[in-house]
Amino acid sequence: MEDPKISTELIEAFRPIIEMNNAQFRQVKTMLAGFIATQERDLDYMDGYMDTLFNFMDPLSDTDTLMRQYYNYIATFDPKEAKARIERLEDDMGYMTKIVYAAGLVAHKLHSGQMDKGGNDYFESHLLKVASRGFDWKEKVVGFLHDASEDCNVTVEDVLRMLDAEISKVVDNPEENWWEE
């Protein structure tokens, strides 16, 4: 069995990239401190520095935290823009993926055994297709749940409670295979 550790050669090959990323991170961190100290408000100017973080950003990393600090600073003078940026960041980083899975699980449970007019499983033939055409996580959630209260003898409030319960399961148990029901 081969050792799963990364080879020394590979580490050395990537060292210049890591060093460059670390240098860019330090520069961006310093620039953000400067923007805050001088109360800079020119988003295009600031974005020119801050956007370099996207080249090597990982979820829940120092780069992610620094970008959120930038958005928190933007919120001090443009809360609407900051909120939109945070939502895009969370969508781009995949943070909302579990909510989409939770909606799919709720839809699958609610429509279990339901067939379309052609005799096909309703979830697979319709809901899965509609959800997959969504452009963002919100549209995908709506795609899965849009027929629930109409076709399944539940209220919208019931669907929201079920969704909340499923979200709690997939978010609170990140190590479990929540996609396998």
Side-chain angles (χ1 to χ4, degrees), residues 64-112:
D64 183 338
T65 301
L66 188 59
M67 188 59 79
R68 288 176 184 278
Q69 289 171 351
Y70 174 50
Y71 295 160
N72 287 339
Y73 172 63
I74 292 172
T76 65
F77 61 90
D78 192 344
K80 186 176 178 181
E81 178 64 23
K83 183 177 188 251
R85 286 174 181 234
I86 288 170
E87 287 176 359
R88 278 195 310 271
L89 176 68
E90 290 176 348
D91 195 34
D92 292 344
M93 298 304 283
Y95 295 138
M96 301 305 183
T97 302
K98 289 183 177 183
I99 295 173
V100 175
Y101 283 118
L105 290 171
V106 169
H108 191 261
K109 287 176 186 176
L110 286 173
H111 293 276
S112 179

Side-chain angles (χ1 to χ4, degrees), residues 14-146:
F14 280 101
R15 187 174 309 285
I17 295 169
I18 293 167
E19 288 172 358
M20 181 182 67
N21 289 350
N22 287 337
Q24 285 180 328
F25 178 81
R26 287 190 308 275
Q27 177 190 26
V28 170
K29 189 174 182 178
T30 302
M31 292 302 295
L32 178 57
F35 299 152
I36 294 169
T38 61
Q39 297 183 4
E40 180 63 56
R41 300 287 193 264
D42 185 341
L43 290 176
D44 290 333
Y45 171 70
M46 293 187 294
D47 285 348
Y49 291 98
M50 299 303 296
D51 286 352
T52 61
L53 292 178
F54 287 119
N55 295 334
F56 55 96
M57 186 178 289
D58 289 318
L60 306 175
S61 67
D62 291 342
T63 51
D64 183 338
T65 301
L66 188 59
M67 188 59 79
R68 288 176 184 278
Q69 289 171 351
Y70 174 50
Y71 295 160
N72 287 339
Y73 172 63
I74 292 172
T76 65
F77 61 90
D78 192 344
K80 186 176 178 181
E81 178 64 23
K83 183 177 188 251
R85 286 174 181 234
I86 288 170
E87 287 176 359
R88 278 195 310 271
L89 176 68
E90 290 176 348
D91 195 34
D92 292 344
M93 298 304 283
Y95 295 138
M96 301 305 183
T97 302
K98 289 183 177 183
I99 295 173
V100 175
Y101 283 118
L105 290 171
V106 169
H108 191 261
K109 287 176 186 176
L110 286 173
H111 293 276
S112 179
Q114 187 178 356
M115 301 294 177
D116 67 10
K117 292 177 184 173
N120 302 303
D121 179 80
Y122 190 73
F123 178 82
E124 291 180 15
S125 68
H126 179 63
L127 298 176
L128 195 56
K129 288 179 182 178
V130 173
S132 69
R133 290 186 182 120
F135 288 105
D136 63 17
W137 70 274
K138 295 172 194 170
E139 290 180 5
K140 292 177 188 303
V141 168
V142 170
F144 276 127
L145 299 175
H146 72 277

Side-chain angles (χ1 to χ4, degrees), residues 139-181:
E139 290 180 5
K140 292 177 188 303
V141 168
V142 170
F144 276 127
L145 299 175
H146 72 277
D147 285 337
S149 66
E150 179 181 330
D151 295 347
C152 299
N153 198 29
V154 293
T155 66
V156 171
E157 291 78 17
D158 293 334
V159 174
L160 292 174
R161 274 191 292 279
M162 292 175 74
L163 179 60
D164 187 50
E166 285 299 329
I167 290 169
S168 293
K169 286 181 193 175
V170 299
V171 172
D172 293 342
N173 301 310
E175 300 303 318
E176 292 184 22
N177 293 339
W178 42 263
W179 59 89
E180 295 175 359
E181 190 70 7

